[in-house]
Amino acid sequence: MSSILNADLHCHSVVSDGTLTPEALAARAHANGVELWALTDHDEIGGQQRALAAARSLGLPYLTGAEISITFAGHTVHIVGLGFDAEDPRMQQGLRQTRGGRGERAREMSASLAAAGIHGAYEGALKYAGNPELISRTHFARYLVEAGICRETNEVFRKYLTEGKPGFVPHRWATLRDAVTWISEAGGVAVIAHPARYGFTPTEEYALFSEFKTHGGRAVEVVTGSHSAAEYVKYAEMAREFGLAASRGSDFHSPDESHTDLGALPFLPGQLTPVWELLADRIQQ
Ligand code: AMP
Ligand code: MN
Ligand code: MN
Ligand code: MN
């Protein structure tokens, strides 16, 4: 398969912190010309059957997906899994365990916001969570906008919910080794999501890529809604240097909040192995 393919292998539904249903996302991807799609909800595969059924009815080739939260060197990093068996018991158990701490964390976030004078944030955020097991910072951000504390969710993440700001609660997610192992042993490919987002030093980034490879990780997002054009070039070079395949995904969450629509990214740069070449036998259609 060519690298010139409108693949969109990263987006979120109401099953995590997106605002559209899996069916609405499938329709939007199809309408936007997406040729290979994956729904990658945070720490959750509850939307996979619906996404696959909707994709099938549209004739849209589909890969299973999830975006797993991990802690690496004291930072939160995201690992996308593609093409794994959604029925795999170890993967299901690992995701359940990763989701497990979110309720308690949300209560602590709410207490931290209350200490800064913002009350009722837990209840407010929960209203936005389509899946109560998957309450996330995005749902708090939507509530803070609703409450008139910020104008838009991007502003929330500048003033609240991030390290050193009210509402931030450090959290220990899965390990890099576990996430990569769950994905690989379920027949999928592990992908480092949006590497430019972590603010790593070159040394930390090198450690992430090296350890990811050691544990069996095989790809990195090069073209994503979170990267600039210069970052496409940088991570294309790193993919070649580390012998990783390249992925492409909008990270679309919502028509109102996301800058990059489904299927609206540039194609992968040349001289890279597209991740879908590694997954040819895992594509469902
Ligand atoms: P959580 O998994 O609960 O920590 O929430 C992480 C989610 O918050 C991400 O997947 C994004 O959807 C959202 N998020 C994090 N940082 C930002 C940001 N700077 N701007 C907008 N959304 C963000
Ligand atoms: Mn998100
Ligand atoms: Mn992410
Ligand atoms: Mn994402």
Side-chain angles (χ1 to χ4, degrees), residues 112-183:
S112 166
L113 289 168
I118 299 166
H119 297 280
Y122 176 77
E123 294 73 17
L126 198 57
K127 274 191 314 184
Y128 287 97
N131 173 1
E133 267 192 57
L134 215 292
I135 185 160
S136 93
R137 286 186 291 159
T138 312
H139 303 118
F140 279 83
R142 291 185 185 133
Y143 171 69
L144 265 56
V145 171
E146 176 201 311
I149 290 154
C150 291
R151 265 169 295 118
E152 47 159 19
T153 51
N154 282 338
E155 185 187 341
V156 178
F157 285 100
R158 284 196 299 275
K159 297 183 177 164
Y160 301 94
L161 311 181
T162 47
E163 212 161 332
K165 310 281 164 63
F168 180 73
V169 172
H171 191 74
R172 174 149 313 207
W173 301 103
T175 64
L176 176 64
R177 178 205 292 265
D178 282 349
V180 173
T181 305
W182 298 333
I183 296 164

